[in-house]
Amino acid sequence: MKLVEDVEKALWDMFTTSKYSNIERYIEKWQVYEERFSETGYRLGWSPQFAIKRQQNGGNIDLKSTLHSLDGETLLKIAIDLGVDTPDFIPSIPTFKNILKSDYKTAYDTFSKANKLIETDPSTAVGLANSALESIIKEILKDERIVAKTSGGETLYKLTSIILKEFNLIDDKHPKEIKTIGNSLMAINQSIEKIRSEKTHFHGKTEGDYLINDTIYAYFIVNTVSTVGLFIDAFYKTKYPKQNFRQKESTLDELPF
């Protein structure tokens, strides 16, 4: 209830003119259209995931009612997009998807598909989540300030090893507890990779082979990927902050030639 109030206020504050029409256009951008079927399998066509509620006269959007009709994940995504604080939630997946959408386009498409397939195809969801994490690390390692480079054929485990060394998270100079956490992070990604290779459709399976087909494990792995991905992205942006033009210009002025 509190989050709905905060999001509603943020939307009213965001637009200075044509408030109703601009707010409606903004909300429409969050509508996801899904194909509907009857219980007998008859195709009913496409319809939005949620409906925009109207005021009693049937004219302008009824923003409060519309926000209350949203599912929790969509409401959290909107809150994050608007910069609304969500201290009572741990919206790792919506936050992760927003970061991917801004900075890692390929990983965003892959992870979004993984998230959608958790219920219907857990095995494929796990494989795609693994691929999304690989994409993020590869993109970070393209930064010219990073010494270590890849050949293009590295797996998630090898990529994780490279980036953790670059981040100095598994060095002996750290307290053993920090090094243990770094090594544990490497073990997590190695396990995700092994599950993808040995327990999903991504590599050929024969009758009798174990296959991830339970959504609870898919949720577990996809949430793990989002948590690990959030940390890697945050650490990278802290260690290698983006340089604006003025910063680069100042650096050039300081060179002795």
Side-chain angles (χ1 to χ4, degrees):
M1 295 291 288
K2 178 69 166 60
L3 189 58
V4 167
E5 288 181 10
D6 292 343
V7 169
E8 183 184 16
K9 183 179 184 304
L11 282 170
W12 287 123
D13 292 344
M14 186 166 66
F15 299 105
T16 55
T17 60
S18 305
K19 286 182 178 286
Y20 281 103
S21 58
N22 281 324
I23 285 173
E24 183 167 342
R25 290 191 185 100
Y26 176 85
I27 294 295
E28 283 176 347
K29 293 183 183 299
W30 292 94
Q31 285 185 313
V32 176
Y33 281 77
E34 298 177 333
E35 197 169 13
R36 307 287 184 181
F37 295 90
S38 68
E39 292 182 0
T40 58
Y42 178 75
R43 185 176 178 277
L44 301 174
W46 293 83
S47 60
Q49 195 176 26
F50 64 86
I52 291 177
K53 308 294 184 182
R54 302 270 171 203
Q55 295 180 3
Q56 287 185 351
N57 59 12
N60 292 323
I61 182 175
D62 183 338
L63 181 57
K64 188 182 292 289
S65 296
T66 301
L67 292 175
H68 275 297
S69 71
L70 299 179
D71 63 280
E73 183 176 344
T74 302
L75 183 63
L76 279 170
K77 287 179 182 177
I78 292 174
I80 294 164
D81 186 58
L82 295 172
V84 173
D85 290 334
T86 57
D88 297 327
F89 303 93
I90 308 176
S92 60
I93 287 183
T95 303
F96 187 49
K97 288 175 74 174
N98 272 11
I99 289 172
L100 294 182
K101 192 173 185 179
S102 299
D103 302 321
Y104 309 94
K105 301 296 184 185
T106 301
Y108 172 75
D109 293 336
T110 305
F111 186 80
S112 295
K113 189 173 182 181
N115 203 32
K116 289 178 182 177
L117 290 176
I118 290 175
E119 291 286 345
T120 58
D121 191 352
S123 175
T124 300
V126 170
L128 290 171
N130 176 97
S131 298
L133 200 49
E134 286 182 356
S135 295
I136 294 167
I137 299 175
K138 286 178 181 177
E139 192 66 33
I140 291 173
L141 291 174
K142 288 180 181 178
D143 191 317
E144 60 186 16
R145 293 169 294 177
I146 293 179
V147 176
K149 298 301 175 186
T150 62
S151 62
E154 291 85 357
T155 61
L156 178 59
Y157 175 69
K158 180 60 178 176
L159 289 168
T160 305
S161 175
I162 293 171
I163 202 164
L164 290 182
K165 286 177 182 176
E166 186 67 29
F167 288 171
N168 298 321
L169 282 175
I170 50 177
D171 288 354
D172 290 330
K173 66 180 182 181
H174 289 305
K176 65 178 182 179
E177 293 82 4
I178 296 294
K179 187 177 178 182
T180 297
I181 293 172
N183 286 328
S184 297
L185 186 58
M186 195 144 58
I188 288 170
N189 284 6
Q190 184 181 32
S191 296
I192 293 171
E193 178 190 301
K194 287 190 71 175
I195 289 172
R196 174 197 179 278
S197 299
E198 301 173 8
K199 307 292 189 300
T200 72
H201 292 297
F202 276 74
H203 286 189
K205 290 289 166 290
T206 61
E207 187 177 352
D209 288 343
Y210 180 85
L211 192 69
I212 292 287
N213 56 14
D214 193 326
T215 58
I216 192 66
Y217 297 121
Y219 275 115
F220 181 39
I221 294 164
V222 171
N223 273 280
T224 301
V225 166
S226 67
T227 303
V228 170
L230 281 170
F231 168 74
I232 290 174
D233 172 76
F235 197 100
Y236 162 63
K237 288 175 179 173
T238 301
K239 190 175 175 68
Y240 302 95
K242 285 186 177 179
Q243 292 179 309
N244 58 36
F245 178 76
R246 286 186 177 180
Q247 286 175 320
K248 290 181 179 179
E249 197 175 52
S250 174
T251 303
L252 288 173
D253 289 342
E254 293 169 4
L255 292 174
F257 55 81

